[in-house]
Amino acid sequence: MAVDAYNVNDTATHGGYYHPRGRRRLADVAEQVLALKTPIMIVLALGAPLPLPLLVDSSETRCAYVVIAMAILWVTEAIPIPVTALLPVILFPVMGVLTAVDVANSYMGNTSLLFIGGLMVAIAVEESGLHRRIALGVMRFVGSDPKWVMMGLMLPTWFLSMWISNTATASMMIPIVEAILTQFKAASNSEGRPRGGSVQGRHVDARLSLKSDSVDVSVKDDAIHVTSPAPLDKQNEHQAPPSGSNGIYVVDSPGFDNDGDDDKADADEDDECDKAVAADYKRLCKGFSLCIAYAANVGGIATLTGTPPNLVFAGQADLYFRKLGGESGVSFLRWMLMAFPLSLLMLLLCWAWLAVVYTRGTCRKQAKQSDDPVKTALHNAYRGLGKVTMAEVQTLICFIVLASLWLFRDPRFLPGWSNLFNEGYTSDSTAAVFVSLLFFILPTTRPAIFCWRRKDEVRQKPVYTPLLTWPVAQAKMPWGIIILLGGGFALAKGCKFSGLSDWFGEQLSTFRGTEPWLINLVITIAVAMATEITSNTATATLLMPIMAELAIRLKVNPLYFMSSAALATSFAFMLPVATPANAIVFSHGHLRIVDMAAVGSVMNIIAVSCLTLAVNTWGSAIFGFLETPEVFRLVNITSIMSEL
């Protein structure tokens, strides 16, 4: 017999079949190639657009090469996004677009300092625990109706995300959500069962007490096993555990009463009740989780420092206007006058939508019965914070001072504190850095020195601890976002100096006959879709120069399209990877991607509609979106850009 007709150790194919060892080797090669995806993507990103400057050697094509390479790396995240933001320091000088000094100067400007100051305040708020007290303080007054509990979760999340990062806000609120859900689940398990509750999905007699922490309940072989150091009810309190049972009591199988009555109809009714309650509880888990992520995303757009894309817009708008000898007019107050009503409107509509989807017809009876447990749990959590500390009081005062300085620096309708100085010598970053310094000076507790020392502290070593220390600030400061902002400003400067922005404007001039509001709507929809899979900050960075040139060609204010694109990057409601807040709530296991996509798609429609309304009504009245600024009417844009 021929043995070599099919050799099991052969890696070749025989009779049309591919040998398993061949498949294993192919899979091994694929794994090794996949392990090299980072260097492969870097080579592709730097090599794919290389023919562009080689075939057409001009400053525009050389700048376009850098933009395309960075866009590929940002979208694929082959290397960390902040690391990609450092590429202009290398590529712009090498490609002859900008000098190294000009590029380096872009990485730390007024907007970056404003962001650093705002982050310092956020870190101090987190360190003092003030954000947790605010959240629980609001939650105490919402009652136990699921829709109002949802509103109670969204309000503090929305407010806090205006001032601290969306990620930190979501991380802080999720444990509160889990505690509330635990109370709802406990109320559900005790609702409407004349015979007993539900353990592991199986019915147990009402006499079974699980109050002791030492009781262990498990299900095995269609019976419920309860491990306890003592008998379970008064009838057996003088009985010892059965010999060899090791303290385990076996309760009868489901549907069998301890008194010997076997009522199958009642068991079926209880099963249906369990399923309904479990479905309601599952809906609440999804609704409460999503409301945290959505409120954090919506709240971030209300203030200039609430989310990085807002600062990208402000920084690049200032850069664009100042190159032409003008001022953008974007300040903390003016942005808040436009964005705060938009954010509030979106919050209310988001709450209404989530309440309809997840709380309508859910646990109405339970809401009344569970009032005491839920409210008691929230009150206990608030009392667990203890008395208001000196650190919280001082942090709150500094927070109010900073907000006041931002709002009244140059309010336009009355003289601001900036009038005390020469024009242009102060900005919002001045106030942010000033208050940030106070956190490193003011004490976190009453200092045990001089007349503040009590008798029991006389022999103790004097201690003076500020509200914020540099090691804490250094550890919690998101330096990557600051670098990313700087990289965006460097990219925008390169586009302007090379003339690439002007080239984009000429290509987009074909839209000149289209209504600006319609173009703005298309831009908003496109950005809202793109931001679901790309970095919000990176997307805003790439779009700002293009939006500015498009607006100039259509003879409208560049802020019109720039602000819409920046705001739309926060409309990330559909996917877990869209924002860190989405990823945090998704990681707790209550949601599926299909849940986020279905509900988030409607939220995107709501957000785009609200933004379209805002920028074309009160936003236009504040910033004059539909009017060409004076500086652009007096200057020939093409000649200026070519000179730059």
Side-chain angles (χ1 to χ4, degrees), residues 300-448:
I301 70 176
T303 62
L304 204 57
T305 57
T307 185
N310 296 355
L311 289 167
V312 171
F313 157 73
Q316 295 207 18
D318 288 341
L319 180 66
Y320 195 84
F321 275 74
R322 286 173 184 171
K323 288 297 180 184
L324 301 176
E327 291 291 334
S328 67
V330 178
S331 65
F332 190 91
L333 176 61
R334 297 186 76 191
W335 176 266
M336 199 168 184
L337 288 174
M338 182 190 73
F340 182 84
L342 169 63
S343 178
L344 180 60
L345 177 62
M346 289 175 58
L347 177 76
L348 296 176
L349 293 177
C350 176
W351 169 71
W353 168 237
L354 292 177
V356 167
V357 174
Y358 292 111
T359 69
R360 187 177 62 175
T362 300
C363 306
R364 291 187 180 275
K365 184 177 179 181
Q366 172 190 323
K368 296 178 181 178
Q369 293 181 352
S370 64
D371 183 69
D372 287 340
V374 175
K375 292 188 70 174
T376 300
L378 291 171
H379 278 279
N380 290 340
Y382 185 80
R383 284 196 296 267
L385 298 176
K387 295 182 178 180
V388 178
T389 63
M390 181 178 176
E392 291 174 339
V393 172
Q394 293 190 110
T395 302
L396 179 61
I397 293 174
C398 290
F399 177 81
I400 294 173
V401 168
L402 177 59
S404 301
L405 290 175
W406 274 341
L407 294 175
F408 296 104
R409 179 179 68 87
D410 186 18
R412 302 294 176 98
F413 56 85
L414 55 86
W417 59 266
S418 63
N419 291 343
L420 300 175
F421 306 91
N422 293 332
E423 185 177 357
Y425 275 70
T426 60
S427 67
D428 290 333
S429 64
T430 307
V433 173
F434 166 70
V435 174
S436 298
L437 293 177
L438 293 180
F439 289 115
F440 293 91
I441 300 173
L442 298 175
T444 186
T445 57
R446 179 185 55 80

Side-chain angles (χ1 to χ4, degrees), residues 5-6 10-19 22:
Y6 185 83
D10 194 1
T11 61
T13 57
H14 295 275
Y17 295 97
Y18 193 76
H19 193 270

Side-chain angles (χ1 to χ4, degrees), residues 604-636:
N604 276 346
I605 295 173
I606 293 173
V608 169
S609 302
C610 291
L611 177 57
T612 302
L613 173 66
V615 295
N616 290 293
T617 52
W618 67 84
S620 183
I622 294 170
F623 286 103
F625 284 147
L626 300 180
E627 302 174 0
T628 304
E630 189 69 22
V631 63
F632 296 106
R633 286 199 295 264
L634 298 177
V635 179
N636 186 307

Side-chain angles (χ1 to χ4, degrees), residues 118-133 160 163-172 392 395 439 467-468 472 476-478:
L119 288 173
M120 289 289 188
V121 176
I123 293 170
V125 169
E126 292 181 49
E127 282 296 297
S128 66
L130 178 63
H131 62 317
R132 192 175 296 106
R133 188 175 295 275
L160 290 170
W163 313 100
I164 64 179
S165 73
N166 300 352
T167 307
T169 304
S171 300
M172 184 268 298
E392 291 174 339
T395 302
F439 289 115
L467 288 170
L468 200 59
V472 172
K476 291 194 171 186
M477 180 70 68

Side-chain angles (χ1 to χ4, degrees), residues 161-352:
S161 64
M162 298 181 192
W163 313 100
I164 64 179
S165 73
N166 300 352
T167 307
T169 304
S171 300
M172 184 268 298
M173 291 298 297
I174 279 295
I176 299 176
V177 170
E178 296 294 338
I180 292 173
L181 288 172
T182 299
Q183 297 303 319
F184 272 105
K185 186 174 184 180
S188 299
N189 288 340
S190 63
E191 178 190 354
R193 294 191 181 90
R195 294 182 181 274
S198 174
V199 182
Q200 300 274 349
R202 302 176 183 274
H203 299 287
V204 200
D205 191 274
R207 292 175 296 173
L208 183 61
S209 175
L210 299 178
K211 294 182 180 179
S212 173
D213 293 336
S214 60
V215 176
D216 182 40
V217 182
S218 61
V219 179
K220 185 178 181 181
D221 299 328
D222 292 330
I224 299 175
H225 298 259
V226 183
T227 304
S228 174
L232 297 176
D233 54 26
K234 292 183 179 180
Q235 294 179 356
N236 298 324
E237 64 181 358
H238 299 297
Q239 298 178 6
S243 177
S245 65
N246 197 22
I248 296 179
Y249 293 79
V250 180
V251 184
D252 294 326
S253 300
F256 184 79
D257 291 333
N258 289 338
D259 57 7
D261 295 333
D262 184 11
D263 193 342
K264 185 176 181 181
D266 289 345
D268 292 340
E269 184 179 351
D270 284 347
D271 283 338
E272 292 183 4
C273 180
D274 279 345
K275 291 178 181 178
V277 171
D280 286 349
Y281 175 72
K282 191 174 183 180
R283 289 169 61 193
L284 288 182
C285 290
K286 295 178 180 180
F288 289 173
S289 299
L290 284 176
C291 78
I292 295 299
Y294 291 175
N297 293 338
V298 169
I301 70 176
T303 62
L304 204 57
T305 57
T307 185
N310 296 355
L311 289 167
V312 171
F313 157 73
Q316 295 207 18
D318 288 341
L319 180 66
Y320 195 84
F321 275 74
R322 286 173 184 171
K323 288 297 180 184
L324 301 176
E327 291 291 334
S328 67
V330 178
S331 65
F332 190 91
L333 176 61
R334 297 186 76 191
W335 176 266
M336 199 168 184
L337 288 174
M338 182 190 73
F340 182 84
L342 169 63
S343 178
L344 180 60
L345 177 62
M346 289 175 58
L347 177 76
L348 296 176
L349 293 177
C350 176
W351 169 71

